[in-house]
Amino acid sequence: MLPNATESRPFEPGTTGWTARDLDDPEIERQWSAGRYEIVEGVLTTMPPASYIAGKVLQRLIHRVTLHIGEGVGSFATELEIVVDEDRVVRADAAFLTPAEERRQKAAALAAGRQDPDRTRILIPPTLIVECVSPGHEQHDHRTKRRWYAEFGVPNYWLLDPFKRTLKCLVLREGVYHDDVAGQGSDEVRPSLFSGLVLRLGEIWKS
């Protein structure tokens, strides 16, 4: 019998050689689920816990988008894990999937041999990923995840900064993210992804 990952190395941040496949091991999955981890180019990494203000602002953004699009167009999920590739497993603050993407996700999970598709990490590019920028981790969201999500083929990437009070919406064209719209403070932002949507940022930041 081959040794599992925990027998060959400790489950500690900074250790290398980790892959998405390692998470199939029940003991590793148990330890992974007890914290906030990512696999960054094969390195086990911890992520800071979400702040209250970031969670509140994110929920307001999701609520306004959901009210605008109505039923049946798609759904948001928060605090979900995305398998970009074997060496990169990331934790996204929020993602929006259409019904067609939910069916593709289920098919991908079954094709990967997952017995419970509903408990499988995201394996396909969702229509939209939203990240709340964390103080001290700006480069991870603005550079690293921007590159990863582009390589994964995520069509839309929004960066929400509740501390600087900015929203930047990016759209993927020919494998590269380009600016769609951006705003700060009390600006009104009209992302092209959802026709007719107007996000009044002042309402999102309010105490």
Side-chain angles (χ1 to χ4, degrees):
M1 179 181 296
L2 293 174
N4 63 27
T6 54
E7 291 173 342
S8 60
R9 62 186 181 281
F11 188 86
E12 294 178 356
T15 51
T16 61
W18 294 96
T19 70
R21 196 174 303 277
D22 289 325
L23 303 179
D24 292 338
D25 182 284
E27 176 58 22
I28 296 174
E29 175 69 23
R30 183 189 67 78
Q31 295 182 72
W32 174 279
S33 299
R36 287 176 53 87
Y37 297 100
E38 290 186 338
I39 296 176
V40 179
E41 308 292 1
V43 180
L44 185 64
T45 307
T46 56
M47 300 305 296
S51 67
Y52 171 75
I53 184 64
K56 180 172 69 171
V57 166
L58 179 61
Q59 289 298 329
R60 285 177 180 162
L61 174 71
I62 291 173
H63 178 66
R64 280 157 176 76
V65 174
T66 302
L67 281 179
H68 175 76
I69 62 176
E71 298 285 337
V73 177
S75 300
F76 279 98
T78 58
E79 284 290 306
L80 68 168
E81 295 173 355
I82 299 174
V83 180
V84 176
D85 58 30
E86 272 298 296
D87 296 325
R88 295 178 289 185
V89 180
V90 303
R91 183 181 294 269
D93 291 321
F96 177 87
L97 281 80
T98 65
E101 288 166 345
E102 290 181 356
R103 292 191 292 271
R104 286 178 51 213
Q105 165 65 14
K106 183 175 182 178
L110 292 173
R114 301 293 187 259
Q115 295 183 350
D116 186 353
D118 292 335
R119 298 181 64 184
T120 302
R121 294 173 177 86
I122 298 298
L123 303 174
I124 60 105
T127 288
L128 167 67
I129 290 178
V130 184
E131 293 286 4
C132 276
V133 179
S134 301
H137 292 262
E138 294 88 351
Q139 297 305 311
H140 190 52
D141 293 319
H142 282 283
R143 293 188 179 180
T144 305
K145 285 189 171 180
R146 176 173 175 156
R147 174 171 56 86
W148 289 358
Y149 293 154
E151 293 173 356
F152 193 41
V154 178
N156 299 273
Y157 180 34
W158 293 3
L159 289 147
L160 182 68
D161 192 326
F163 302 98
K164 294 183 178 179
R165 298 194 169 188
T166 62
L167 173 64
K168 185 173 186 177
C169 303
L170 305 172
V171 60
L172 190 67
R173 292 197 297 268
E174 299 181 350
V176 178
Y177 281 124
H178 298 268
D179 291 347
D180 180 27
V181 291
Q184 61 182 353
S186 59
D187 290 347
E188 292 185 352
V189 174
R190 295 171 170 81
S192 62
L193 174 58
F194 301 109
S195 178
L197 173 66
V198 179
L199 293 171
R200 296 175 176 84
L201 297 184
E203 297 176 356
I204 292 176
W205 316 129
K206 66 181 181 181
S207 300

